[in-house]
Amino acid sequence: MNLNLGSTAVSLGGVTAGTIIVVLVLQRWWKKGSGGGKKGDDGGGRDWKQLIPFVVALCFGILAVLAAGPISVLGLITRLSLWAGDGIGTLYLIYGVGGSSPGVTRSAPVILTPGGYAVYAIWSAVLVGQHLWSKKLPRLQSVLGVFAGILLGLSRGVAGTAAVPLASLVNLAGSWYAGVFQ
């Protein structure tokens, strides 16, 4: 377990905690969509669009842990979340199920360009505004998505690998936004 708040490292416990969050949100969506059904209803009430806020928040969290500098508000929140989630996941793996929790941090972090940071800043403002003022947004689902993304973004596994094209897409949008393309 990494107790250094300045460090951006994740253990298997943190990745496990992030994966558990994703699985539980998907399980709740699946169960909620089956609906018990009325007569003649096929029970297929699972609308994938209900998962969009969670997926957007998950992507935001993945980028947050990669992009946020340690001397920013977002960096402080991200590192505190990473530290807490990694600690809880490590304790769960070691004392809950009797396993171990080795480090699984990717070797090279993904960095955003200046335009990418501008796009990410706009995305941050939109998510905060949505969280504060939307009456239909599932707030807990969004918060859990960001938290899970923070825990999964640094891993060398599948979720961590998704960070590379995600950061590339934000950097591409940032290049367009900043007028770098000519």
Side-chain angles (χ1 to χ4, degrees), residues 19-156:
T19 304
I20 288 171
I21 291 169
V22 171
V23 168
L24 290 177
V25 167
L26 290 174
Q27 181 183 30
R28 184 173 186 274
W29 167 78
W30 185 263
K31 289 292 195 183
K32 197 173 163 185
S34 65
K38 300 173 186 142
K39 189 171 184 175
D41 186 12
D42 63 358
R46 293 176 196 93
D47 185 8
W48 63 270
K49 290 180 271 186
Q50 293 174 344
L51 291 174
I52 290 174
F54 177 75
V55 172
V56 168
L58 183 70
C59 292
F60 179 84
I62 289 171
L63 279 180
V65 76
L66 298 170
I71 56 172
S72 65
V73 173
L74 184 61
L76 179 63
I77 293 168
T78 300
R79 282 173 173 70
L80 284 171
S81 299
L82 180 63
W83 179 75
D86 195 56
I88 290 168
T90 297
L91 290 173
Y92 177 65
L93 277 182
I94 293 172
Y95 299 109
V97 296
S100 64
S101 185
V104 294
T105 306
R106 70 174 47 254
S107 59
V110 179
I111 305 296
L112 293 181
T113 62
Y117 275 107
V119 169
Y120 189 73
I122 294 166
W123 189 5
S124 299
V126 168
L127 279 182
V128 168
Q130 249 187 333
H131 188 77
L132 293 175
W133 301 308
S134 176
K135 293 180 181 176
K136 293 184 179 185
L137 181 76
R139 287 181 176 86
L140 180 61
Q141 193 177 12
S142 295
V143 169
L144 287 173
V146 171
F147 189 56
I150 288 170
L151 292 173
L152 295 171
L154 292 174
S155 72
R156 283 181 254 165

Side-chain angles (χ1 to χ4, degrees), residues 6-22:
S7 173
T8 52
V10 68
S11 70
L12 185 58
V15 174
T16 302
T19 304
I20 288 171
I21 291 169
V22 171

